[in-house]
Amino acid sequence: MAVAYFHFYAELNDFLPRNKRRMKITHNFAERASIKDMIESLGVPHPEVDYIKVNDIYVDFSYIVQDGDIIHIYPISVTDITTPTVSVRPQSLSVIRFVLDIHLGKLATSLRLLGFDTLYRNDYADEELAEISHTQARILLTRDKGLLMRSLVHHGYYVRSTNPQQQILEVLRRFDLFNLVSPFQRCLRCNGLLESIAKEQIIDQLPETVQLQNNEFHRCQECQQIYWKGTHYERLQQFIDGVLEQKE
Ligand SMILES: [Zn+2]
């Protein structure tokens, strides 16, 4: 039996059993395995890892673990004193877009409200989510660690909080998005972009009170849903203000 010693840093410990957090993990192994597979067998999904040092040398995911290796694994939040010569972090995305798993419906609505391109359906299968994330270069947000471990997933993040109010702050902080917030640009139902539309064009679709009280309308270019500053508007604006106040 060979042995390797693992040190996981910062939030990577969230994935370890309580009795193994923030300490050296002694891992016995009999079969030849890549460091990626071994990290995941200990419970940590690969998209959460930024860089890996083995016996003080930076390695990528393909490194084959050797007997006696001392392995340090760092998440994105930890900056090393020296710049890593090898990073396993995927190339940064020029446009931040998301795809969310079934458990994150409220977070999807919040992200759309804040203007972020966010795919969500409550019937996406796991394969589909991984495929969409891969082919469309979308960050997969999930509460399912197994889903993040799929090899197709490069850009992914495990949402820690189960509270939707906290989740939106967690995602904005993790991806540094506060300055990109652009509210009321997207359809909350389908993610389509909104366009302003003249009242005359849609007047027959509006309830009478809405016709009388509003002059400004937007329509989703995809599903044709019409939006106006109705009773929900103030609550949504308060939600947005509350989120932006948390910017650090
Ligand atoms: Zn729509």
Side-chain angles (χ1 to χ4, degrees), residues 187 189-192 220 222-225:
C187 180
R189 288 209 316 197
C190 84
N191 193 46
C220 172
E222 303 292 328
C223 77
Q224 316 297 314
Q225 170 87 2

Side-chain angles (χ1 to χ4, degrees), residues 161-173:
S161 178
T162 52
N163 172 331
Q165 299 268 17
Q166 292 303 315
Q167 286 175 341
I168 185 71
L169 295 173
E170 188 184 321
V171 171
L172 293 178
R173 285 191 188 118

Side-chain angles (χ1 to χ4, degrees), residues 143-165:
R143 291 273 308 153
D144 179 346
K145 294 163 206 169
L147 180 53
L148 273 191
M149 289 185 193
R150 286 176 175 260
S151 57
L152 270 184
V153 179
H154 297 301
H155 296 276
Y157 175 70
Y158 177 76
V159 179
R160 267 64 167 181
S161 178
T162 52
N163 172 331
Q165 299 268 17

